[in-house]
Amino acid sequence: MSVQERKQRERADRERLIVATARELAEQQGWDAVTTRRLAERIEYSQPVLYSHFRGKREIIGAVALEGAAEMASAVRAAASAADGPRTRATALARTYLEFAERNPAVYDAMFQLDGGLAFAHEDTPQPLKDAFAALLESLGDVAGDGVHPGLFTEVFWAALHGLATLTRAGRLPPEDTERRVKLLVDRLAVV
C-alpha cells in the first residue's frame, strides 16, 4: 500500500469516527449536545482536524443523514422482500419506516428535521437520499392505483408516515395505536 493510499484510508477512518461519534452523542443527549469541541474531545483529535473533514456541525448532520438514508433504504428493502404481495409489502414498509424513526430518533431528525445542507427532490440530491426514496417507490408503486403517478403516491404515503412518526415521537399520538394507524393507512391508500 502506498503512502497516499494509507493516508486516504486513515482520513476515511477518521471521517467515519467523527460521524459515528456525532451520531452516538446525538442519540444519547440530542443534537444540541453535538459540538465540534465535544466531538474533538471524544475522538481525541483537535478541532482543526475535525474542520479538515467537515466545515461544521451542519455538514456532520448531513453525513449522518446520508448514512441514515442508506440504512433506512436497506431496512425497507429487506422488509419488503420478505413480504408476500403488494399490500403486505406496503404494510411491511410502513412498519419498518416507523420502527426506524423510533429506534433512531437523532438520525431521523438529521434526515428530515435538521438542516444538513442536503437538497431533496433536485438534480443534485445526494444518491443515498434518492436511493431511500427509490426503496419506498419500489414497494409502493404497485398499490398507487390506476391513473395515479407512483412517485406522487409514494410522496403522499411517505408524508403520512413522516407525520405519524413525528407526532408519535412528540407524544401527540399514543404509540399503542401505531399498528392500527398502519392498517388504516394501507387500507385507505393502497389500492390492489
Side-chain angles (χ1 to χ4, degrees):
M1 175 182 297
S2 73
V3 172
Q4 181 65 23
E5 289 170 330
R6 181 182 52 79
K7 286 183 178 185
Q8 287 175 340
R9 188 187 75 227
E10 289 171 356
R11 180 171 177 75
D13 289 345
R14 269 193 314 273
E15 194 165 298
R16 279 191 294 277
L17 178 62
I18 293 165
V19 171
T21 304
R23 182 176 175 165
E24 177 184 316
L25 186 57
E27 291 292 2
Q28 291 171 352
Q29 300 176 28
W31 278 104
D32 287 342
V34 179
T35 64
T36 54
R37 178 178 295 173
R38 290 184 87 183
L39 285 174
E41 288 171 2
R42 283 205 174 192
I43 65 171
E44 298 177 346
Y45 283 101
S46 67
Q47 283 183 289
V49 169
L50 230 72
Y51 285 116
S52 74
H53 291 273
F54 299 99
R55 285 182 282 196
K57 183 176 176 177
R58 181 179 187 218
E59 283 189 4
I60 294 169
I61 290 169
V64 170
L66 294 177
E67 190 176 271
E71 291 171 11
M72 188 181 76
S74 177
V76 164
R77 283 189 173 109
S81 70
D84 185 28
R87 195 184 248 352
T88 308
R89 272 195 304 278
T91 301
L93 175 148
R95 286 181 184 137
T96 301
Y97 183 99
L98 295 173
E99 288 167 4
F100 181 88
E102 182 183 348
R103 278 193 323 274
N104 305 285
V107 173
Y108 191 82
D109 285 347
M111 292 168 65
F112 301 120
Q113 303 289 93
L114 302 174
D115 179 10
L118 304 173
F120 282 79
H122 289 92
E123 278 186 33
D124 60 344
T125 297
Q127 191 57 45
L129 298 179
K130 289 178 181 179
D131 191 50
F133 185 79
L136 299 175
L137 180 61
E138 290 161 13
S139 295
L140 295 172
D142 293 341
V143 296
D146 292 337
V148 177
H149 188 277
L152 185 62
F153 178 82
T154 300
E155 290 171 352
V156 171
F157 200 92
W158 171 32
L161 289 174
H162 176 68
L164 291 173
T166 303
L167 292 169
T168 301
R169 279 188 51 213
R172 288 173 173 70
L173 294 176
E176 61 271 12
D177 291 331
T178 297
E179 189 59 33
R180 289 177 47 207
R181 288 187 198 98
V182 166
K183 183 176 178 353
L184 181 63
L185 178 65
V186 172
D187 286 350
R188 295 292 187 243
L189 290 182
V191 177
V192 179

